[in-house]
Amino acid sequence: MDLVLTIGVDALVYASWLFIVSLGLTLVFGVLKILNMAHGSIYALGAYSAASVVALFTTWGMSPAWSLVAMLLAAAGVAAVVGPLLERGLLARFYGRDEVLLLLVTYALFLMLEDGTKLLWGVNPYYVSEPYSLFGNVEIGSLSFVGYDLALIVLAVVCGLLVWLGLNRTVAGKIVLAVIHNPEMSASMGVNVNFVYSAAFTVGVFLAALGGAFTAPMISVQPGVSVSVIIVSFAVVIIGGLGSIEGAAIGAVVVGLARAVAVHVMPDVELFSVYLVMAAVLVFRPEGLFQSVKARVI
């Protein structure tokens, strides 16, 4: 019983931050039809920025509780600067061009951001230990879990609900859905399509940076962290279906369970478990679990 509980909690913790990152990836694809290869680099920017801002708050003698605010501000800062700059300054110039070209542009952007983070923060690892002890330990049955890990699950649920409600229960969300379905008709009705694209991309950047900022206390922030994140995020959106919020949630849970089972039961296949699950899904449902023929955010 303890093993089952451990696997379940580990799976949800891993799925929580992965869902936040993948939610941004699938949102950008759903609205802009761009498979953003640089998404993992934005995650890394969020992690590095959070480490820097938390360290700054610590030197000011502020309470460790403020480190949560510091991480949120770091993610918001990355989104406010990087989102409009990349979308308006670079990606907008390639709209209407071949989709493969856009993929290559985001890959080039990934390479530039990787080198940019090394220039700004160097190659030594950063550690953000202050927030990790804020919530103490939580006893579940005979087992003890870190409270911060469980709080991350709550954050993922909140992010998912806010994005879903924003798209499906607000006027702004209806406008975004209209642009997704028919940007030309939306433009003829007076919708500023370019603003919608910029706003959606910025929200996607914020979610990637938020995932990086709030996982920084759980990992060693160092060069190369973006590579593993973007690979696993792609696995999540492929399993769930590109452009689907529900699919991103289910895909993250499936990936989390596959990894947790492999770590605790079959450690030798841990590196391949996610890709085995992805391959199995693609065999029987190539478009993903929640994907219609035409990609769009649901």
Side-chain angles (χ1 to χ4, degrees):
M1 183 62 185
D2 286 349
L3 178 60
V4 174
L5 181 59
T6 301
I7 290 174
V9 173
D10 285 354
L12 289 177
V13 171
Y14 188 80
S16 60
W17 69 263
L18 187 56
F19 169 67
I20 296 173
V21 178
S22 301
L23 182 60
L25 184 64
T26 202
L27 177 67
V28 170
F29 179 83
V31 179
L32 283 77
K33 303 299 182 291
I34 295 175
L35 196 55
N36 186 12
M37 292 288 291
H39 203 69
S41 297
I42 297 169
Y43 166 94
L45 281 177
Y48 274 110
S49 299
S52 299
V53 177
V54 169
L56 184 62
F57 274 39
T58 302
T59 58
W60 288 347
M62 302 183 72
S63 168
W66 281 95
S67 59
L68 297 176
V69 177
M71 292 189 292
L72 184 60
L73 290 176
V78 170
V81 174
V82 174
L85 181 63
L86 294 184
E87 196 277 331
R88 286 290 92 194
L90 178 64
L91 297 179
R93 301 175 183 273
F94 297 92
Y95 291 162
R97 308 281 289 275
D98 191 276
E99 294 177 355
V100 176
L101 178 60
L102 272 169
L103 188 65
L104 292 175
V105 168
T106 60
Y107 177 67
L109 186 58
F110 160 75
L111 296 177
M112 290 187 290
L113 289 176
E114 281 292 285
D115 288 339
T117 55
K118 292 177 185 177
L119 288 173
L120 286 175
W121 285 281
V123 295
N124 295 322
Y126 282 70
Y127 300 95
V128 189
S129 58
E130 291 81 4
Y132 202 61
S133 59
L134 284 177
F135 300 96
N137 293 328
V138 177
E139 304 291 333
I140 302 179
S142 60
L143 300 177
S144 178
F145 298 94
V146 179
Y148 184 89
D149 293 346
L150 302 181
L152 202 59
I153 299 174
V154 177
L155 177 64
V157 173
V158 170
C159 289
L161 286 175
L162 287 177
V163 173
W164 188 89
L165 290 172
L167 286 174
N168 295 279
R169 295 292 185 269
T170 66
V171 174
K174 298 299 184 183
I175 293 174
V176 172
L177 291 176
V179 171
I180 291 171
H181 287 295
N182 197 323
E184 292 80 9
M185 182 64 71
S186 300
S188 69
M189 297 293 291
V191 175
N192 189 338
V193 175
N194 289 333
F195 177 78
V196 172
Y197 285 164
S198 183
F201 187 82
T202 301
V203 172
V205 168
F206 172 73
L207 290 168
L210 186 70
F214 277 83
T215 53
M218 306 166 61
I219 62 173
S220 170
V221 183
Q222 57 188 341
V225 68
S226 59
V227 178
S228 58
V229 168
I230 191 59
I231 292 175
V232 182
S233 297
F234 275 142
V236 167
V237 297
I238 289 171
I239 290 172
L242 284 164
S244 169
I245 294 175
E246 294 89 341
I250 297 300
V253 172
V254 169
V255 168
L257 279 173
R259 177 187 173 275
V261 170
V263 167
H264 292 283
V265 180
M266 298 176 292
D268 293 339
V269 301
E270 189 258 329
L271 291 175
F272 310 101
S273 57
V274 174
Y275 310 109
L276 290 175
V277 172
M278 181 176 68
V281 171
L282 290 176
V283 167
F284 296 101
R285 187 140 175 106
E287 68 277 14
L289 298 177
F290 284 83
Q291 179 62 66
S292 60
V293 175
K294 183 180 179 179
R296 66 183 183 90
V297 175
I298 297 174

